[in-house]
Amino acid sequence: MDRFKIGIIIVDEQISFAHRNLSAAVESLKALGCVEQDIAVRHAPKLFGVTAVTQFFAEYTDVDAVAVLAENDGSPEYAAMLYGVTKLQISWNMPVTIGDCTAAADAVEMVSTQNEMEAAAPESAAPDKKSIN
């Protein structure tokens, strides 16, 4: 089994949602083979800040993916966060999942899929998944 490093973002303005989901997300990651020191938890003050914290994970850490513990509240801020995070995923070639405690397991699945596809790609087509486009 591969060893994955996963970042988790807690949105402070949705702190009760995060508290209901964080321990289950961490336990899920451990069950999938992540060790505790490979799980990095960071805070974004508001939904609007999630995009920046995701970029910080991409720039300043070696995480393989990011799971954002955020509840879809239907707000323009949530939509803006989705747009920003989607652009970062494409730019940095790093999976980002959003939701409840299941977002962590989804992140591991996305990294596994990415690794399988990268390994199956012709040698000349295999990009460094951490390089910037």
Side-chain angles (χ1 to χ4, degrees):
M1 176 180 280
D2 291 326
R3 185 169 164 177
F4 300 116
K5 294 182 178 185
I6 306 295
I8 297 176
I9 299 176
I10 292 173
V11 182
D12 290 341
E13 73 179 342
Q14 294 186 352
I15 199 70
S16 63
F17 180 83
H19 280 237
R20 289 192 313 269
N21 287 281
L22 180 60
S23 63
V26 170
E27 291 308 312
S28 173
L29 289 172
K30 287 180 186 176
L32 292 167
C34 293
V35 292
E36 193 141 357
Q37 61 266 29
D38 289 341
I39 303 168
V41 178
R42 299 292 182 267
H43 292 256
K46 298 186 179 278
L47 280 170
F48 196 73
V50 168
T51 302
V53 177
T54 302
Q55 183 164 348
F56 298 156
F57 265 121
E59 284 185 28
Y60 305 125
T61 73
D62 61 349
V63 298
D64 298 300
V66 174
V68 180
L69 297 181
E71 185 173 34
N72 184 349
D73 60 5
S75 68
E77 292 81 7
Y78 188 86
M81 182 263 306
L82 286 178
Y83 177 76
V85 167
T86 299
K87 288 184 65 108
L88 284 173
Q89 265 189 121
I90 294 165
S91 303
W92 287 89
N93 200 17
M94 182 180 70
V96 180
T97 58
I98 302 166
D100 60 11
C101 60
T102 62
D106 293 345
V108 170
E109 178 142 355
M110 290 297 297
V111 173
S112 294
T113 299
Q114 181 182 30
N115 290 345
E116 289 169 12
M117 293 179 78
E118 187 176 355
E123 194 61 38
S124 62
D128 176 7
K129 69 181 183 180
K130 294 292 184 183
S131 68
I132 301 172
N133 293 338

